[in-house]
């Protein structure tokens, strides 16, 4: 059996740039959610914004200021670069990239249309050329020197988790020896306005799994893991990808099924693929957006799967906001660190459990848990639900 190891990790979020900055603020229980400054908006809702301008991101990456690159791509380049540098794969290995996004180059497209709508003869077409998700993936691959298999996945909030599954399969089937897998998304007017029209943005910091929850906070960032065939490792891995599954209940375009069927199936099948029993899971990084529908459905699925023995769990979205397609990658990095350091992160803002349940997430960030297996959930629009299980050995 081919075992898939996690040999490198990289992350950019509202908590900071790099794994070190993110972990420090997670341990301090410092949220990165605050006021929007990237663009003007009349909505006045809090967001999880990366605290660097596009120009500052380019400087960190060694990119000329005049070069046209979407913010989504810049965030992805930083995180993917860190993950690959951390893994240090040996020369001669077949390295691939599976990158996920939902926003793509939307920020550049918005800049184009603001000028085009004033005058149809104005607007730089080079901005529109980066609209599609593939453009960003190709740019990340070039920046990281990845010349092997490259593809893009866009399945809403489960995108990055599905990218990790696809990367694992590429290794299991001998297509690649190493795969950088994860995703990136930036804040944009389109997504902010779109989520506002759905009525699911909270005007305060989100409170997943709390009875008073009123919606989510949007965020931006990027998270990547380096998946590697075990026999090619140059250093001790963080952990292994023990199980994974994707399910789709096709209940509604945006809402989760009330009985959590898709979420339950994803978790159940991931546990089965890992060849373990539910009692062996020591921590769950839940999807936990903070919307009434999502949290109730995930709570129902957790109770169906674990019964009365629900392991320690929490949502890290009150730290970062919901980063859409990047969420699964960022939270895979956080789950990897939780497994390595035996940490359960605080579920910030929690006071009272979801109605009809007794589910109480971790109230504070604490070390000292016994965690041999950890699960990360990413449940997307259209009922596209994915669960990943990581193991120490």
């Amino acid at each position: 059996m081919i075992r898939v190891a996690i040999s490198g990790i990289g992350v950019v979020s509202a908590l900071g740039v790099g794994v070190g900055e993110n972990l420090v603020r997670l341990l301090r229980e410092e949220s990165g959610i605050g006021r929007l400054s990237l663009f003007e908006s009349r909505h006045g809702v809090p967001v999880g914004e990366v605290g660097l301008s596009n120009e500052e991101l380019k400087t960190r990456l060694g990119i000329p200021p005049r070069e046209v690159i979407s913010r989504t791509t810049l965030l992805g380049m930083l995180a993917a670069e860190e993950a690959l540098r951390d893994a240090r794969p040996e020369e001669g290995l077949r390295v691939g990239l599976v990158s996920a996004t939902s926003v793509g180059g939307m920020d550049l497209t918005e800049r184009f249309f603001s000028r085009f709508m004033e005058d149809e003869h104005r607007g730089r077409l080079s901005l529109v050329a980066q609209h599609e998700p593939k453009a960003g993936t190709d740019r990340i691959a070039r920046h990281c020197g990845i010349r092997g298999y490259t593809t893009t996945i866009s399945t809403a909030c489960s995108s990055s988790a599905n990218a990790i599954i696809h990367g694992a399969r590429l290794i299991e089937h001998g297509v690649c020896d190493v795969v950088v897998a994860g995703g990136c998304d930036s804040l944009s007017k389109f997504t902010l306005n779109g989520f506002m029209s759905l009525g699911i943005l909270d005007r305060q910091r989100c409170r997943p799994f709390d009875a008073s929850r009123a919606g989510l906070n949007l965020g931006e960032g990027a998270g990547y893991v380096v998946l590697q065939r075990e026999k090619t490792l140059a250093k001790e891995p963080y952990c292994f990808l023990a199980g994974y599954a994707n399910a789709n209940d096709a209940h509604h375009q945006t809402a989760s099924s009330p009985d959590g069927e898709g979420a339950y199936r994803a978790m159940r099948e991931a546990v089965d693929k890992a060849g373990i029993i539910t009692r062996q899971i020591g921590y769950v990084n839940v999807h936990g957006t903070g919307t009434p529908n999502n949290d109730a459905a995930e709570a129902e699925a957790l109770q169906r799967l674990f019964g009365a023995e629900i392991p320690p769990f929490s949502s890290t979205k009150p730290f970062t906001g919901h980063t859409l397609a990047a969420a699964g990658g960022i939270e895979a990095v956080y789950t990897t660190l939780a497994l390595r350091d035996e940490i359960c992160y605080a579920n910030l803002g929690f006071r009272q459990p979801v109605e009809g349940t007794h589910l109480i997430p971790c109230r504070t960030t604490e070390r000292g848990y016994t965690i041999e297996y950890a699960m990360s959930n990413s449940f997307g629009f259209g009922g596209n639900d994915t669960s990943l299980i990581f193991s120490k050995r």
Side-chain angles (χ1 to χ4, degrees):
M1 182 182 76
I2 295 174
R3 296 220 301 164
V4 178
I6 309 298
S7 61
I9 53 178
V11 65
V12 179
S13 77
L15 295 183
V17 176
V19 172
E21 289 185 16
N22 276 257
L23 183 56
V24 165
R25 294 192 67 185
L26 285 166
L27 293 174
R28 290 177 180 170
E29 299 180 16
E30 295 177 359
S31 174
I33 293 174
R35 294 181 61 184
L36 175 68
S37 66
L38 283 172
F39 49 82
E40 292 183 1
S41 172
R42 64 182 181 183
H43 299 308
V45 291
V47 296
E49 187 176 283
V50 174
L52 294 173
S53 67
N54 286 7
E55 289 69 28
E56 290 170 323
L57 292 171
K58 288 178 183 178
T59 297
R60 290 202 178 207
L61 291 161
I63 294 171
R66 286 184 170 273
E67 191 166 345
V68 178
I69 304 177
S70 74
R71 184 171 178 85
T72 295
T73 302
L74 292 170
L75 296 173
M77 290 163 72
L78 269 179
E81 178 183 70
E82 180 186 27
L84 201 54
R85 185 172 61 246
D86 184 28
R88 302 195 303 272
E90 295 179 351
E91 292 290 331
L93 296 178
R94 297 167 299 167
V95 181
L97 171 67
V98 184
S99 188
T101 185
S102 58
V103 175
M106 182 66 71
D107 63 318
L108 297 180
T109 304
E110 289 172 347
R111 283 170 51 191
F112 167 80
F113 272 103
S114 66
R115 293 172 175 82
F116 181 78
M117 293 301 289
E118 295 173 358
D119 181 348
E120 64 182 15
H121 299 293
R122 296 180 62 195
R124 295 172 59 190
L125 289 177
S126 61
L127 300 178
V128 184
Q130 294 191 45
H131 179 83
E132 62 172 349
K134 178 182 180 294
T137 300
D138 289 346
R139 187 65 180 82
I140 293 168
R142 290 200 304 275
H143 179 76
C144 294
I146 297 172
R147 293 179 290 276
Y149 180 100
T150 302
T151 194
T152 309
I153 288 180
S154 188
T155 56
C157 313
S158 60
S159 299
S160 288
N162 286 333
I164 292 171
I165 289 179
H166 188 57
R169 287 173 172 161
L170 291 172
I171 290 173
E172 290 165 352
H173 291 282
V175 178
C176 297
D177 302 308
V178 179
V179 177
V180 181
C184 48
D185 260 342
S186 64
L187 290 164
S188 72
K189 292 181 180 180
F190 181 84
T191 49
L192 186 68
N193 293 338
F195 275 81
M196 180 59 74
S197 72
L198 293 173
I200 56 175
L201 292 184
D202 198 335
R203 293 192 176 277
Q204 303 176 47
R205 192 170 67 189
C206 64
R207 302 168 299 286
F209 281 84
D210 187 72
S212 72
R213 67 196 187 282
L216 59 85
N217 307 137
L218 285 176
E220 64 177 359
Y224 290 85
V225 298
V226 176
L227 306 167
Q228 193 162 347
R229 190 185 294 260
E230 184 180 19
K231 68 178 184 179
T232 69
L233 290 169
K235 68 182 186 70
E236 189 73 18
Y238 286 93
C239 58
F240 293 87
L241 182 62
Y244 54 77
N246 171 259
N248 197 319
D249 59 23
H251 169 73
H252 187 270
Q253 284 182 320
T254 59
S256 303
S257 55
D259 60 359
E261 177 63 23
Y264 169 77
R265 286 173 53 200
M267 290 190 290
R268 176 75 268 172
E269 291 171 20
V271 168
D272 292 344
K273 183 171 180 59
I276 60 176
I277 57 177
T278 55
R279 283 200 305 269
Q280 291 176 270
I281 295 175
Y283 172 68
V284 182
N285 185 306
V286 293
H287 185 57
T289 62
T291 64
N293 168 258
N294 176 88
D295 290 4
E298 190 168 9
E300 179 65 25
L302 288 167
Q303 291 177 128
R304 286 178 64 186
L305 181 67
F306 293 103
E309 298 181 345
I310 296 176
F313 72 94
S314 64
S315 170
T316 49
K317 288 183 175 67
F319 287 96
T320 64
H322 187 1
T323 57
L324 305 182
I330 291 172
E331 291 163 25
V333 171
Y334 291 171
T335 305
T336 295
L337 293 170
L339 188 64
R340 183 194 69 179
D341 297 341
E342 298 193 315
I343 300 169
C344 290
Y345 305 114
N347 195 109
L348 300 179
F350 176 82
R351 289 181 177 82
Q352 297 292 329
V354 171
E355 60 280 357
T357 77
H358 299 287
L359 296 183
I360 299 177
C362 302
R363 293 179 183 269
T364 59
T365 296
E366 295 182 11
R367 295 180 184 268
Y369 285 84
T370 300
I371 307 175
E372 293 296 325
Y373 294 89
M375 176 185 284
S376 181
N377 289 337
S378 298
F379 302 149
F381 279 175
N384 193 302
D385 301 329
T386 301
S387 294
L388 307 173
I389 295 178
F390 302 92
S391 66
K392 276 188 177 175
R393 299 173 182 85

